[in-house]
């Protein structure tokens, strides 16, 4: 027999409690605000003003390491080719004399730029300041159908522009003479198809993706996010004044399209098609891809072509209802229990209702 004293159960446990109103009313989260593309970093609770800066520093460290490894691999690969080895040495001493008509130099330059893409994606994932997909668009992913439409628009407009340009040159007495027997033509065309799309995409993720969202996390107005990265983009292209103005106008148009269409697809399409066509024309001897000189007529033609592309893309975006702002998740409602039966600690749970 137990020596512990026996106490009767409380009277309240002998009968079910009466229904009571919830002690706590439902609590609803404040709805998140839809944001433009350049403000997407602000959609995450883990955001701190310094985190996007750390993303850039991590990406820079990763890029330097990857570039060193890539350079060593290329130097080992060309050690038995004195001519190509000499060109690499000249490129290292004078970057403005890069011979992009040489397949080895072309591949090395493209891969050096492509490395920007994985480094910025990995750095974003490491810092966990936002989902990696939000660097692409407001939907958090690549909108492949929209990208394809923008590619078709860019290819159509650029082809028409080049056809008119070559037609004017021919009428002016400048012969149209493609060289389908040019040295390394097929190799350069294959390298163009394989590498240039990734090179152009990598630059867009840096200048219209990371930098726009870095600035957009601090400054609300899109003009800051669109315009401030432009000088940095121009600094990476060693052209004369007409070429620099062309690059600057392209950067403004690409940044505006990223903001207006809610993602990088239109800017990537224009960049990929433009670079691919130029390098393809260089492979058949119609364009000197190593030249840093341009002229006023080429600048005007390029600006008009870009403006037409922007106008058509905006029209298509409106027609296809392309999302330009983020869609916040549905708010979470925290519902209190239907009944609440208070009891002293240690008395056990209340009886079933």
């Amino acid at each position: 027999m137990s020596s512990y004293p026996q106490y009767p159960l409380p009277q309240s446990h002998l009968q079910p409690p009466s229904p009571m109103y919830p002690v706590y009313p439902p609590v609803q989260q404040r709805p998140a605000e839809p944001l433009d593309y350049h403000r997407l970093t602000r959609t995450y609770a883990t955001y701190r003003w310094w985190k996007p800066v750390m993303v850039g520093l991590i990406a820079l460290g990763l890029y330097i390491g990857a570039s060193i490894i890539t350079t060593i691999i290329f130097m080992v690969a060309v050690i038995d080719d004195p001519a190509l080895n000499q060109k690499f040495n000249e490129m290292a001493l004078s970057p403005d004399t890069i011979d992009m008509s040489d397949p080895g130099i072309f591949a090395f330059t493209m891969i050096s730029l492509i490395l920007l893409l994985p480094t910025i994606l990995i750095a974003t994932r490491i810092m966990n300041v936002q989902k990696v997909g939000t660097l692409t668009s407001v939907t958090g992913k690549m909108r492949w159908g929209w990208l394809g439409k923008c590619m078709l628009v860019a290819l159509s407009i650029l082809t028409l522009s080049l056809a008119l340009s070559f037609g004017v040159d021919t009428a002016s007495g400048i012969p149209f003479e493609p060289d389908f027997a040019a040295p390394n033509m097929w190799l350069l065309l294959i390298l163009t198809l394989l590498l240039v799309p990734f090179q152009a995409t990598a630059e867009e993720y840096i200048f219209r993706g990371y930098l726009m969202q870095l600035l957009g996390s601090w400054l609300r107005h899109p003009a800051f996010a669109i315009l401030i990265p432009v000088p940095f983009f121009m600094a990476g292209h060693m052209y004369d004044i007409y070429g620099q103005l062309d690059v600057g106008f392209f950067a403004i148009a690409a940044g505006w399209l990223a903001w207006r269409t809610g993602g990088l697809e239109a800017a990537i399409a224009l960049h990929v098609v433009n670079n691919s066509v130029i390098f393809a024309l260089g492979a058949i001897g119609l364009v000197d891809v190593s030249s840093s000189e341009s002229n006023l007529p080429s600048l005007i033609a390029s600006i008009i072509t870009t403006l037409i592309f922007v106008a058509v893309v905006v029209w298509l975006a409106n027609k296809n209802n392309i999302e330009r702002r983020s869609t916040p998740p549905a708010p979470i409602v925290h519902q209190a229990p239907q009944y609440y039966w208070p009891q002293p600690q240690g008395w056990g749970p209340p009886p079933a209702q």
Side-chain angles (χ1 to χ4, degrees), residues 29-235:
Q29 276 187 338
R30 182 180 178 182
E33 177 188 2
L35 294 175
D36 291 332
Y37 172 77
H38 71 294
R39 299 279 290 170
L40 286 183
T41 307
R42 285 282 189 170
T43 57
Y44 297 92
T46 58
Y47 170 82
R48 300 294 182 272
W49 72 266
W50 50 269
K51 283 191 172 184
V53 178
M54 290 301 300
V55 170
L57 294 176
I58 293 172
L60 178 60
L62 292 173
Y63 179 74
I64 292 174
S67 297
I68 292 173
I69 295 173
T70 302
T71 302
I72 293 173
I73 293 174
F74 267 87
M75 293 304 293
V76 171
V78 303
I79 197 169
D80 294 329
D81 188 338
L84 189 55
N85 200 9
Q86 178 64 25
K87 289 185 178 181
F88 269 102
N89 292 332
E90 293 175 357
M91 181 178 66
L93 295 174
S94 182
D96 58 338
T97 60
I98 298 176
D99 182 10
M100 294 297 288
S101 63
D102 185 280
I105 300 296
F106 179 85
F108 176 77
T109 304
M110 292 294 108
I111 292 175
S112 297
L113 294 171
I114 290 171
L115 291 175
L116 291 168
L117 181 57
T119 54
I120 194 62
L121 298 180
I122 293 171
T124 301
R125 183 65 185 89
I126 289 174
M127 279 306 298
N128 196 31
V129 66
Q130 64 186 100
K131 292 181 179 179
V132 175
T134 55
L135 281 173
T136 304
S137 74
V138 294
T139 63
K141 60 184 178 180
M142 181 68 75
R143 297 170 291 189
W144 293 106
W146 175 235
L147 175 64
K149 292 178 181 179
C150 292
M151 285 275 192
L152 290 175
V153 171
L155 185 59
S156 301
I157 294 175
L158 190 58
T159 300
L160 179 60
S161 175
L162 288 171
L164 290 174
S165 177
F166 286 126
V168 171
D169 288 344
T170 302
S172 302
I174 301 175
F176 178 76
E177 299 177 343
D179 183 7
F180 295 105
N184 302 311
M185 183 194 72
W186 289 109
L187 180 56
L188 285 171
L189 287 175
I190 292 172
L191 289 174
T192 296
L193 292 175
L194 292 178
L195 299 179
V196 171
F198 294 101
Q199 167 263 324
T201 300
E203 292 185 8
E204 290 306 311
Y205 268 87
I206 293 295
F207 293 100
R208 260 67 66 182
Y210 168 70
L211 285 181
M212 276 191 67
Q213 293 189 359
L214 167 69
L215 294 164
S217 69
W218 299 337
L219 304 169
R220 182 180 295 272
H221 199 282
F224 296 107
I226 294 171
L227 296 177
I228 293 178
V230 172
F232 299 98
F233 186 69
M234 295 172 65

Side-chain angles (χ1 to χ4, degrees), residues 183-350:
N184 302 311
M185 183 194 72
W186 289 109
L187 180 56
L188 285 171
L189 287 175
I190 292 172
L191 289 174
T192 296
L193 292 175
L194 292 178
L195 299 179
V196 171
F198 294 101
Q199 167 263 324
T201 300
E203 292 185 8
E204 290 306 311
Y205 268 87
I206 293 295
F207 293 100
R208 260 67 66 182
Y210 168 70
L211 285 181
M212 276 191 67
Q213 293 189 359
L214 167 69
L215 294 164
S217 69
W218 299 337
L219 304 169
R220 182 180 295 272
H221 199 282
F224 296 107
I226 294 171
L227 296 177
I228 293 178
V230 172
F232 299 98
F233 186 69
M234 295 172 65
H237 297 77
M238 301 175 185
Y239 299 131
D240 62 6
I241 182 61
Y242 296 114
Q244 290 286 12
L245 290 175
D246 190 357
V247 170
F249 186 80
F250 169 87
I252 294 173
W256 189 85
L257 281 174
W259 167 75
R260 178 62 179 78
T261 63
L264 295 178
E265 294 90 351
I268 289 174
L270 181 59
H271 202 159
V272 167
V273 171
N274 179 77
N275 286 15
S276 298
V277 170
I278 293 301
F279 284 116
L281 292 176
I284 59 176
L286 289 176
V287 175
D288 183 5
V289 292
S290 301
S291 175
S292 60
E293 298 179 358
S294 185
N295 52 58
L296 183 58
S298 296
L299 172 62
I300 295 174
S302 178
I303 290 176
I304 293 174
T305 301
T306 302
L307 287 175
I308 294 174
F309 173 80
V310 170
V312 174
V313 164
V314 171
W315 175 76
L316 277 177
N318 293 334
K319 182 180 179 181
N320 291 273
N321 296 318
I322 298 300
E323 297 179 63
R324 56 180 298 189
R325 310 192 82 190
S326 62
T327 303
I332 301 174
V333 177
H334 300 280
Q335 178 69 48
Q338 185 177 2
Y339 301 107
Y340 180 78
W341 184 248
Q343 55 184 322
Q345 186 176 4
W347 280 15

